[in-house]
Each structure stands twice: as structure tokens, then as C-alpha cells.
Amino acid sequence: MSRENVFVQKVTALIALLLGYAPVFCLLGTLTMPEYVLRSLLFCAMLLPLGSVLFVVRGKWRFACMCVCAAVYALLIWLLLPEGNGLFPYLHIAPGVVILFMIPAAARSTAGSEWSVGVWAGGFFFSVFVYMLLGARGLAERGRVMDAREILLYVFAAFMFLMLMNLNRISMESGIISGSKTGTSGGMMQKNRAGVILLFAVAVIASLWGKLAVWLDILWTKSKALLLWLISLIPMRKTTGTMPGEGAMSSEMGVGIGEIAEKSAFALFMEKVLMAFGYLLGAVLFVVAVYTVGKQLLRLYRWLQEKIKAYITRTAEDYVDETENIFDPEEVKRLLGEKVKNLLTPAKKEKKPRWQDLDGRGKVRYLYRCFYERHPKLQHLTAREALLEENTISKSISVPFAELYDRARYSEHPIDEKDAEKWREKLKY
């Protein structure tokens, strides 16, 4: 995976984190400055450009850059906070700094696994809890809380979409036997991802059905107004005389009293042409929508039909149950005792050897051990495969280090300790 794609995935993960914890900022704004609660969401959004910088900076400079970003964030809040609200609004700095301190660990992790399940669950909990809390009596009447609450509804929808995509990816990866990359194909991942997007889109349309009707009505009204405006651009022939009941209409169209604007033959023709074109366009869009939906429904029907036939075929086969009861109470008791003993007995941690006590060969193997501890998800690969894996270390470093490790691990050739020291500086372990 290229660096550009990795950067896009990291920024997307940061956006998901900010969407999940934006209600925390909103709650602080409600409690400290209800008239300016929308600025709390702005404070959360400011973390996106500051956090994205940390994905670009690498190595030992990342921590220093994180401290600078935290100071810049505090300065921006100081400049944007309204006067006369005391010191409590400065509490917005705390969640922002916490999020900035979470980003370096996410930058070092592999793409797609930046946040743990607990972080995703926390975002879901805060979103639901704060949304319900802001609707309670006593808070909803304060300042612009209801405006912020309506915005949080869309923020929560976006967060749920990204969370579902992430959970879908995790479930697909966990279904691969032993983490092998050959367990699934790119086409399968795309179809699975498209299915999640389709289900989410259907859920959003169902939840916003009332608003969609209002939006469609507004769109239809605006379309008719646009059509009437186009017709008004056509010159009209004027005749004298006033028809009963038409004086108001004449004055609205800018015609003087005693004059009536009569549509010319060309205007009537163009009006009919535009109306016919509008009806034809609507009919074409309706036919295309019906054809597309019908085609997908037909594919779904055939797929369900194949699944039902396969199920009927399997259930029709003769099946002989030859299972035996292997439940042994004594064995279960022994296994439970061992489980309890393992839980109560702390696991002994393997003590790391000291760097200065190792020879050249041992130091090279020590460096690979540090690499393995930073990338535990690569344990199913060989040493060379793990070192050459994407999103670990640079290819210019991993290829020669893999050859050096093979020499230190599988041959009797001596390894100079100076070479090991040199590689330690390159890898920064």
C-alpha cells in the first residue's frame, strides 16, 4: 500500500474519532457557554488539520510536533473563546489534548487498526448519551443547544457509518484462517463493503423518510419556479383594457394599469415545449430507477432461490447422528481448576537481555525481537516476510536488514558488533 493511501486511511480514522467524541465537546459547550455552543464543534473540527500533521511527521520528531500542536490548539481556543464566560470554557482544551496524545500510537499502528474496540464503543456511548441528555428539560432551552443537538444527529450518522465499515473489515479479517492473505479476495472485500454501504443507505433513507418528503416538495416547488422564470424571459404582447379581476395580477407582473400582458403564440409554444420536456425527463428518470431497482431485486431473488435450493438439497440427504457423549465431570473439574490457577498465578515475564552483554549475532536477533514487539500482528509470517511487509519499515532498510538477520540466525558467519550498533541507530530501537 502506498504512503498516500496509508495517509488517507489514517486521516479517515482520525475523522471517525472526532465524530465519535464531538458530543463531549458539545456537552462542555452546553454547560459552560450555551449561547456559543456551536463553537465547541468548531474546537473539535480544529483537531483534524492539527492531527493530520502528526501522520506526516515521522520518528522522534513526532512527539515534539505533538506538543507543538497541543500548544497551538490551546492558543486557538484562547483566541476563539467569547469573553465574559469565565475559565470553565477552557475545559475544551482537555479532550482535545487527549485526542492529540492518542494520535502518535495510531500513526505507528497498521492501517485500519488505529483504534481499539473500546475507543469505538466509547464514541458510540457518548454520542447516544449526550444526544439524549441535551434533549432533557433544562438543557434544551439554553442558548443554541437545540441547533447543536440537530447537528449531532448527522454527526452520529457519519460516525456509525465509519464504525460499521471498520467492524466489517475486522470481521472479514478475523474470518481468514491464520491471518493468511489468501483467505479472501479483493472482489469479496469490495462486495462485502458495498453490501454494508447499501444497508446503511437504506437505513438512513428509512429514518429520514419524512424529511426526504419535505426536501422533494421543496425541490418540486423550486423547479416550477425556475420553469416560470424561464417563461417570463420570453417577450409578451401587450393589449389595452383591463379584464375583471386581473388588475392585481397585471400589477404584479409589472404591467401598467389599464394594460394586460397577453402571451404570444411563441410563448405558448415554448411553454408547452418546456412542460413536455420536463414530463419526458421525469418519465425517463422514473423508468431508469425502476429498471435499476428491478434488476437488483431480480438478482436478489435468484440468489435467494439458489440458497433455498441448496438448503433443501442438504436437508434431503440421509444423515446419521453418530456423536457420542464425551462429557466427563472429573475432566471438566480438572480443566476448571487449571483455568482458575492460571488466572490467579501471574504470568512470568521473560526478562530481556542487556544490549551490552550480547555479541554481534545476539544484537542482530535482539533488534528483530524489538521489531516483532512493535508489529505483533505479523507473528504468522517468517522473519523475512515480516520485515518486507508493507507499513512496517522502509524498503531501503528492511531488505539489507533481512539479509543480515538471515546470516545471524541461520549461518555461522561472524557478525561485527559495530554493524549491529549501526543498525540500531537506523532502526531507532
Side-chain angles (χ1 to χ4, degrees):
M1 188 182 296
S2 63
R3 288 186 176 180
E4 291 78 11
N5 292 335
V6 173
F7 177 76
V8 170
Q9 288 195 12
K10 298 288 186 182
V11 173
T12 304
L14 177 59
I15 292 174
L17 181 69
L18 296 178
L19 291 174
Y21 288 87
V24 177
F25 292 83
C26 191
L27 180 60
L28 288 175
T30 302
L31 298 175
T32 59
M33 49 178 193
E35 294 293 337
Y36 303 93
V37 65
L38 295 181
R39 293 196 188 182
S40 301
L41 298 176
L42 175 62
F43 296 157
C44 181
M46 288 191 310
L47 292 169
L48 180 59
L50 294 175
S52 301
V53 174
L54 300 179
F55 294 129
V56 179
V57 180
R58 296 177 177 273
K60 60 184 180 180
W61 295 104
R62 182 174 288 153
F63 179 79
C65 182
M66 178 192 64
C67 296
V68 173
C69 288
V72 171
Y73 177 72
L75 178 62
L76 289 174
I77 288 183
W78 178 72
L79 292 174
L80 296 175
L81 277 178
E83 297 180 358
N85 286 275
L87 297 177
F88 288 106
Y90 288 96
L91 292 175
H92 289 85
I93 298 176
V97 172
V98 170
I99 290 176
L100 289 175
F101 271 76
M102 292 170 63
I103 294 177
R108 292 192 298 268
S109 62
T110 56
S113 59
E114 292 83 6
W115 319 122
S116 63
V117 177
V119 174
W120 289 101
F124 177 82
F125 169 77
F126 279 115
S127 298
V128 175
F129 175 75
V130 173
Y131 183 79
M132 295 174 62
L133 186 64
L134 295 185
R137 183 178 300 177
L139 288 180
E141 296 84 2
R142 302 182 63 183
R144 304 189 63 184
V145 173
M146 291 306 296
D147 295 338
R149 188 171 183 265
E150 186 174 356
I151 294 175
L152 284 182
L153 182 61
Y154 299 101
V155 170
F156 178 65
F159 170 73
M160 284 298 298
F161 174 72
L162 294 176
M163 185 176 71
L164 288 175
M165 294 295 291
N166 184 73
L167 293 177
N168 173 65
R169 180 192 57 79
I170 293 175
S171 63
M172 289 292 291
E173 291 181 353
S174 63
I176 302 172
I177 300 175
S178 301
S180 173
K181 290 185 178 180
T182 59
T184 185
S185 62
M188 184 186 301
M189 291 288 291
Q190 290 179 359
K191 290 179 180 178
N192 190 270
R193 191 181 301 115
V196 173
I197 295 174
L198 178 62
L199 291 175
F200 184 82
V202 171
V204 170
I205 292 174
S207 61
L208 299 177
W209 189 257
K211 290 189 176 182
L212 285 176
V214 176
W215 294 341
L216 288 176
D217 184 64
I218 294 174
L219 179 62
W220 174 249
T221 304
K222 296 295 184 183
S223 301
K224 290 194 297 184
L226 177 62
L227 184 61
L228 293 175
W229 178 75
L230 291 175
I231 294 175
S232 67
L233 297 178
I234 302 173
M236 296 183 180
R237 187 172 65 253
K238 297 180 181 179
T239 60
T240 59
T242 304
M243 297 292 291
E246 293 187 357
M249 181 180 68
S250 301
S251 60
E252 288 178 0
M253 298 184 66
V255 182
I257 299 176
E259 296 183 350
I260 298 176
E262 182 183 353
K263 295 182 179 179
S264 64
F266 178 74
L268 293 174
F269 173 75
M270 289 302 298
E271 182 178 357
K272 292 181 179 180
V273 169
L274 291 175
M275 291 296 292
F277 177 75
Y279 289 139
L280 179 62
L281 180 61
V284 170
L285 292 176
F286 178 76
V287 171
V288 171
V290 170
Y291 173 77
T292 304
V293 174
K295 187 177 179 181
Q296 297 299 326
L297 290 176
L298 182 61
R299 290 180 59 185
L300 178 62
Y301 170 74
R302 290 175 178 173
W303 179 79
L304 289 175
Q305 194 175 28
E306 292 177 359
K307 292 296 182 181
I308 293 173
K309 286 182 179 179
Y311 175 75
I312 293 174
T313 304
R314 288 197 303 269
T315 54
E317 297 176 353
D318 294 331
Y319 177 73
V320 179
D321 189 2
E322 297 181 351
T323 58
E324 297 179 0
N325 186 10
I326 56 173
F327 179 75
D328 186 359
E330 295 296 329
E331 182 68 16
V332 173
K333 181 179 179 181
R334 185 181 63 82
L335 292 175
L336 289 176
E338 291 180 357
K339 290 283 186 182
V340 172
K341 185 178 179 181
N342 292 335
L343 289 175
L344 296 178
T345 305
K348 295 182 179 179
K349 295 183 179 180
E350 185 181 356
K351 190 176 180 181
K352 274 189 178 182
R354 296 198 308 168
W355 175 264
Q356 56 270 22
D357 297 338
L358 298 174
D359 58 359
R361 188 186 306 278
K363 289 181 177 180
V364 172
R365 297 177 67 175
Y366 178 88
L367 292 176
Y368 176 74
R369 178 178 176 179
C370 295
F371 170 82
Y372 172 80
E373 290 176 353
R374 292 197 177 190
H375 305 88
K377 292 187 177 181
L378 306 178
Q379 59 182 349
H380 61 281
L381 302 177
T382 62
R384 177 172 286 273
E385 290 175 344
L387 289 170
L388 299 181
E389 184 72 10
E390 297 287 344
N391 304 325
T392 55
I393 56 178
S394 174
K395 294 291 184 186
S396 60
I397 299 177
S398 61
V399 174
F401 182 70
E403 296 176 356
L404 179 65
Y405 178 76
D406 287 343
R407 244 184 25 233
R409 179 71 176 85
Y410 302 108
S411 70
E412 298 297 331
H413 296 289
I415 305 295
D416 192 354
E417 293 189 14
K418 293 182 179 179
D419 292 340
E421 294 286 348
K422 206 176 295 182
W423 277 104
R424 188 184 187 187
E425 294 179 359
K426 288 183 179 180
L427 295 171
K428 297 180 176 60
Y429 290 160

